[in-house]
Amino acid sequence: MSNILHVSVSCIESILDEPATLSKPNKRWHLAFAIIYCSRALHSLLNKKNMKTSKLPLSTPSFVVLDVEPHLAFSNIEHTSLTEVVKKKNLDQLREFGGVAGVVDALKTDAKNGIHGDVEDIARRQEVFGSNTYPRPPAKSFFYFVLEAFKDLTILILLACATLSLGFGIKEHGLKEGWYDGGSIFVAVFLVISVSAVSNFRQNRQFEKLSKVSNNIKVEVVRDGHRQHISIFEIVVGDVVCLKIGDQVAADGLFLDGHSLQVDESSMTGESDHVEVNCHHNPFLFSGTKVADGYGQMLVTSVGMDTTWGEMMSTISRDLNEETPLQARLNKLTSSIGKVGLAVAFLVLVVLVVRYFTGNTEDENGNQEFNGGQTKANDIVNAMVRIIAAAVTIVVVAIPEGLPLAVTLTLAYSMKRMMADQAMVRKLSACETMGSATTICTDKTGTLTLNQMKVTKYWLGKEPVEDSSSIDTHVLKLIQQGVALNTTGSIYRATSGSEIEFSGSPTEKAILSWAVLELGMDMEAIKQNYSILHVEAFNSEKKRSGVLMRKTADNKIHVHWKGAAEMILAMCSSYYDASGSIKSLDDGERMRFEQIIQGMAASSLRCIAFAHKQIPEEEQEIREGRQKLKEDSMTLIGLVGIKDPCRPGVRKAVEDCQYAGVNVRMITGDNVFTARAIATECGILRPDQDMNGEAVVEGEVFRNYTPEERMEKVDKIRVMARSSPFDKLLMVQCLKQKGHVVAVTGDGTNDAPALKEADIGLSMGIQGTEVAKESSDIIILDDNFSSVATVLKWGRCVYNNIQKFIQFQLTVNVAALVINFVAAVSAGEVPLTAVQLLWVNLIMDTLGALALATEKPTEELMKKPPVGRTEPLISNIMWRNLLAQALYQIAVLLTLQFKGESIFGVSEKVNDTLIFNTFVLCQVFNEFNARKLEKKNVFKGLHKNKLFLGIIGITIILQVVMVEFLKKFANTERLNWGQWGVCIGIAAASWPIGWVVKSIPVSEKPFLSYLKW
């Protein structure tokens, strides 16, 4: 036995001793052969030994069987070579692989049924070829946003002020107490940078999440003979992917089957011309390109980083430093206020210097500070330091640091909430622009309707058919052929008893379902009897699709057309009647059919017609050579009416928009009668509105108007029927020229120009093509018009919240600036120190921004007209509110400044604390006033905003800490209960003042209209 084993071991050694020159695949083969050979050799030796012994073994011999299948499954094709063949469009090398069919076999897939798609199969393919993902560039770190915050001019001015204040403070008071003012400005700067950086960092993370959601495209693949939708990231090499107009090609691959497939490769090559893809000359498809026309199926040959698109995308990071129009206006406003502050500070500096050197200032003992040559140089320097510190304090209070932060917080918060309300924001500026929208141009199918289509009517000749058994056999076969062969949809049934699954567009699914379930169509059998010669794919301009095919049995060629009823009717010269006879279609008969179509359309049905023609033998060769479908002298097979019910709640959403001063216009490819019926049902059109025929117009009519006529009539149009994408674009351009802010919904590839042209492009998340989504600003995830109305509400809310905060912030700034200026000029000192002003200006405003920026939309927003884009940011109503509150605060605080000590019988230090405390509490009470710009009841809905109440609570607690416990840092004295009561009483008076002021009417003409911020 030992000798046998010795021989076996030496044999194994000789087999395993592989030559170094072998390639990687050959090494795998060599290893597999060695394992199989050795296991068989050992097995046979053990069997011989067992045969010699009298006893049979109780157990089978133990040996290891290694599954080498995963490594050898795709061994007859080199994946790197295949990737290069596709990337370089190398047809010659593709032929060496055995053409597309050879690649299909090598990748262990089926051109018709796809891969098996079980877990093991997918895992093995991902292991060998990789997954359809690519590494993203690293996300920007938190410190990146900290550095960005430091670049802000406001922050740089504050840092300069802090440095000056720190230096002068230490010079005047020594290090122990002199660092308070400068140190506090540094702390405040640190706080504003932290809040800003955290906010921008979180917003960046949110964009990253949104980017992942928007990149997670659903792709239709065939696996195990079953069409199914999967994530683009789940695609593997060997998958059969279905492509139609508007789809993004999900990976690199080869064309398998299809018709009239044209691809837009501009994202890869920069060339705008569409590239035709077919079996013979160009079967290559590239990831990231878009299907421009036709349909087809492709075999995936490489995924992820093996594709050119993957390599390119892994180096691109989305730029999120987009400045919205409102942010730009606010930055301008901030810098304007900053300039005013600098001017006032300079004026104070001059006045104080003049007062000092003219002997109008006194020291703590009541002596004149400056006595000409008798005054020491050190005293003059200290006095100058104090004067500069007062000027610095005024600069600090003048700059509204909270404004840019408020916009960032508002936009970030509203984006997050809009996502929950089925709207994904792709461009931040769209949030604001939507608040100014004056008109919405919407699609019908899927947006106003449910997109759940069902055939409810069928007319054969001039008679409606109730029972399919009454249809003539020949006509029935023609209908079945027209449905089965002229479709981009498909039918799948797992087993004979299981339910049938239909895939394709909603219209295709409705027709297929009707043909299979009611007419008994067998799609597979029909396809086997005919070969398709040429296809004209459906698009939104032609509104029809046709197929040229040859019958296998007799080689005769037939043409089938399907499409919009009036378009197909115009191609016909005869029709089949109920008995199956062909009748001539004269003018009288044609008018009768038009009435039938109009009758169906008036019942909100989408009308589709089928037509057929057998090509005469003498024309057959010409048709085959030209690959052109016959378009005249067709025979009408029948008409079907498809019902697509309106979405529940759409009428209310339309009425809400109209009540808010936003006109809703419907632009559809359906005929005039269907469009009018649906528009009336949705509330876009009143039953009596279209008396003069100007409210409803056909796309062709609108297109043929002169530019002057279009501009004159565009405002009156409510419905545009039988429109092409060009008509939609023309409508948007006209409305914009008339001064409208236009929002457009779109789902098709051809809608892309209109979506880009519009002020706000809204694409559909379910039915929308990838091209439409990329051209849009906001994606409506549930395709529902009610969500469009919600986006409108959020747009107004963003603008309204920012206006509330501006009013609140400017009240603080105006009051503090005037108080310090008047006190500095008249008394030579400032009652509010730099620390106190920074506490008010930064901490309160940061918290205030958070409180007012997170107010949710209310129904009141939809009761006001749209906000004009050129309207001033600070409206007359805001000026009225903020000036009233600021004047009250100025009057009270200046009274306290000059008479407070005698009124309350307190020391100067306690009086300064009373001024500071009253000022802060005035802002707390005024924050409630800022919640409503026009409404008197500022407490409505307060209980719903827990964040607002929480922030008010935090502010009050921090103020108590500031006054009672941070005596040296904040330069305050402790107050007794009575003094606290006085402060609260004075501050609370801002509520009744706000209530009274809101009764004062304001003019329409903008106050300070020359300031266009």
Side-chain angles (χ1 to χ4, degrees), residues 316-498:
I316 296 170
S317 61
R318 190 172 165 193
D319 184 24
L320 307 173
N321 297 330
E322 173 201 357
E323 187 178 62
T324 70
L326 195 54
Q327 280 175 321
R329 287 170 83 185
L330 274 174
N331 287 339
K332 201 174 173 186
L333 176 63
T334 306
S335 65
S336 300
I337 295 167
K339 285 169 190 171
V340 171
L342 285 168
V344 172
F346 180 72
L347 192 61
V348 167
L349 187 69
V350 171
V351 169
L352 290 179
V353 169
V354 169
R355 273 174 60 90
Y356 177 77
F357 285 113
T358 53
N360 288 326
T361 56
E362 295 174 348
D363 60 17
E364 291 170 2
N365 303 320
N367 300 322
Q368 189 175 318
E369 281 192 293
F370 184 73
N371 290 317
Q374 296 174 19
T375 310
K376 292 177 186 175
N378 194 43
D379 291 339
I380 293 171
V381 170
N382 285 340
M384 288 300 103
V385 164
R386 201 166 58 250
I387 288 167
I388 293 168
V392 164
T393 303
I394 285 173
V395 174
V396 167
V397 74
I399 298 170
E401 301 82 9
L403 276 182
L405 184 65
V407 190
T408 308
L409 288 171
T410 304
L411 289 172
Y413 173 76
S414 58
M415 267 182 66
K416 196 173 181 183
R417 295 306 302 239
M418 282 167 84
M419 191 74 175
D421 285 343
Q422 302 299 319
M424 188 173 83
V425 179
R426 293 183 77 250
K427 271 181 80 178
L428 267 181
S429 55
C431 285
E432 303 157 10
T433 316
M434 199 65 189
S436 303
T438 57
T439 188
I440 297 172
C441 298
T442 177
D443 283 342
K444 175 186 78 72
T445 308
T447 309
L448 297 170
T449 61
L450 284 167
N451 215 4
Q452 293 172 0
M453 300 193 183
K454 189 174 190 297
V455 174
T456 57
K457 281 264 174 45
Y458 172 58
W459 288 70
L460 179 55
K462 292 176 285 183
E463 302 294 325
V465 177
E466 301 297 333
D467 183 13
S468 60
S469 60
S470 63
I471 303 171
D472 176 74
T473 313
H474 175 61
V475 176
L476 185 65
K477 282 181 179 175
L478 285 177
I479 297 165
Q480 290 176 345
Q481 288 165 21
V483 172
L485 300 167
N486 186 12
T487 183
T488 54
S490 67
I491 296 165
Y492 174 76
R493 181 183 255 166
T495 56
S496 56
S498 63

Side-chain angles (χ1 to χ4, degrees), residues 110 210 272 401 428 554 656 678 689 764 792 797 818 942:
D110 185 285
L210 288 179
S272 56
E401 301 82 9
L428 267 181
D554 56 12
D656 286 347
I678 293 284
Q689 199 169 358
M764 299 296 128
L792 181 70
C797 181
V818 171
L942 186 64

Side-chain angles (χ1 to χ4, degrees), residues 650-925:
V650 79
R651 191 180 182 92
K652 185 185 180 304
V654 168
E655 285 170 359
D656 286 347
C657 290
Q658 290 170 340
Y659 193 66
V662 180
N663 286 316
V664 181
R665 292 173 165 84
M666 185 173 92
I667 301 176
T668 178
D670 276 339
N671 73 33
V672 174
F673 303 99
T674 309
R676 187 184 281 118
I678 293 284
T680 308
E681 198 177 331
C682 293
I684 292 170
L685 207 62
R686 293 192 305 275
D688 60 335
Q689 199 169 358
D690 192 35
M691 292 303 181
N692 56 4
E694 289 187 336
V696 181
V697 69
E698 282 197 338
E700 191 178 357
V701 175
F702 182 74
R703 202 183 314 147
N704 294 332
Y705 283 150
T706 63
E708 293 76 23
E709 282 179 317
R710 271 202 293 271
M711 293 300 283
E712 182 194 331
K713 295 185 178 185
V714 72
D715 275 334
K716 296 171 188 170
I717 295 169
R718 289 289 169 272
V719 177
M720 191 196 282
R722 282 288 175 245
S723 69
S724 70
F726 175 74
D727 301 327
K728 196 180 213 179
L729 178 62
L730 205 58
M731 166 83 91
V732 172
Q733 288 169 339
C734 287
L735 287 167
K736 282 181 77 176
Q737 283 169 28
K738 292 278 279 189
H740 287 282
V741 178
V742 188
V744 168
T745 72
D747 54 12
T749 304
N750 294 327
D751 289 329
L755 287 168
K756 280 184 177 171
E757 179 70 25
D759 296 289
I760 311 105
L762 303 155
S763 63
M764 299 296 128
I766 300 169
Q767 284 298 315
T769 61
E770 290 313 310
V771 176
K773 287 177 190 175
E774 282 188 19
S775 303
S776 67
D777 305 309
I778 296 172
I779 299 172
I780 305 297
L781 298 172
D782 61 353
D783 288 18
N784 194 341
F785 186 80
S786 299
S787 299
V788 176
T790 307
V791 170
L792 181 70
K793 202 184 288 184
W794 269 111
R796 292 187 174 195
C797 181
V798 166
Y799 197 86
N800 192 248
N801 284 352
I802 288 165
Q803 281 192 317
K804 289 175 190 176
F805 183 71
I806 291 169
Q807 179 185 298
F808 173 68
Q809 170 96 57
L810 290 189
T811 307
V812 178
N813 286 66
V814 169
L817 198 61
V818 171
I819 293 158
N820 270 16
F821 176 69
V822 172
V825 170
S826 59
E829 58 182 21
V830 287
L832 296 167
T833 65
V835 176
Q836 292 169 351
L837 284 171
L838 273 165
W839 156 241
V840 173
N841 212 27
L842 280 178
I843 319 307
M844 283 217 29
D845 292 350
T846 304
L847 293 171
L850 201 58
L852 293 170
T854 54
E855 287 273 352
K856 291 177 186 173
T858 59
E859 291 303 320
E860 290 160 14
L861 290 170
M862 298 295 273
K863 293 175 184 174
K864 293 190 287 188
V867 181
R869 276 196 294 194
T870 54
E871 280 184 31
L873 204 52
I874 307 170
S875 66
N876 286 5
I877 289 162
M878 291 165 68
W879 278 118
R880 177 195 67 191
N881 296 345
L882 79 86
L883 287 174
Q885 293 293 339
L887 285 170
Y888 168 68
Q889 290 177 23
I890 290 162
V892 168
L893 296 175
L894 286 178
T895 304
L896 286 174
Q897 167 70 15
F898 296 112
K899 298 290 181 183
E901 290 174 41
S902 57
I903 292 169
F904 298 108
V906 292
S907 66
E908 187 187 349
K909 202 84 182 280
V910 172
N911 191 48
D912 283 350
T913 305
L914 279 172
I915 292 169
F916 168 57
N917 201 31
T918 304
F919 185 58
V920 170
L921 291 173
C922 276
Q923 310 323 318
V924 172
F925 281 90

Side-chain angles (χ1 to χ4, degrees), residues 17-56:
D17 187 23
E18 61 187 32
T21 54
L22 283 179
S23 66
K24 198 173 180 181
N26 288 339
K27 282 182 180 178
R28 286 178 183 165
W29 276 111
H30 191 277
L31 178 64
F33 173 75
I35 291 164
I36 294 162
Y37 178 88
C38 296
S39 61
R40 281 183 175 175
L42 287 169
H43 190 228
S44 62
L45 287 168
L46 286 165
N47 278 347
K48 283 178 186 177
K49 173 72 179 159
N50 289 337
M51 283 168 71
K52 288 178 184 178
T53 58
S54 56
K55 281 188 177 181
L56 286 168

Side-chain angles (χ1 to χ4, degrees), residues 201-233:
F201 179 68
R202 287 187 64 190
Q203 193 177 340
N204 184 63
R205 284 282 178 271
Q206 198 172 334
F207 260 117
E208 291 290 328
K209 282 181 188 172
L210 288 179
S211 182
K212 282 178 186 172
V213 172
S214 61
N215 289 338
N216 189 9
I217 300 162
K218 291 292 175 190
V219 180
E220 192 176 25
V221 298
V222 180
R223 285 184 177 176
D224 205 18
H226 180 206
R227 277 199 191 193
Q228 51 190 282
H229 286 89
I230 62 167
S231 164
I232 191 169
F233 305 127

Side-chain angles (χ1 to χ4, degrees), residues 133 191 402 438 699 933 976:
T133 54
L191 276 168
T438 57
L933 297 177
N976 59 37

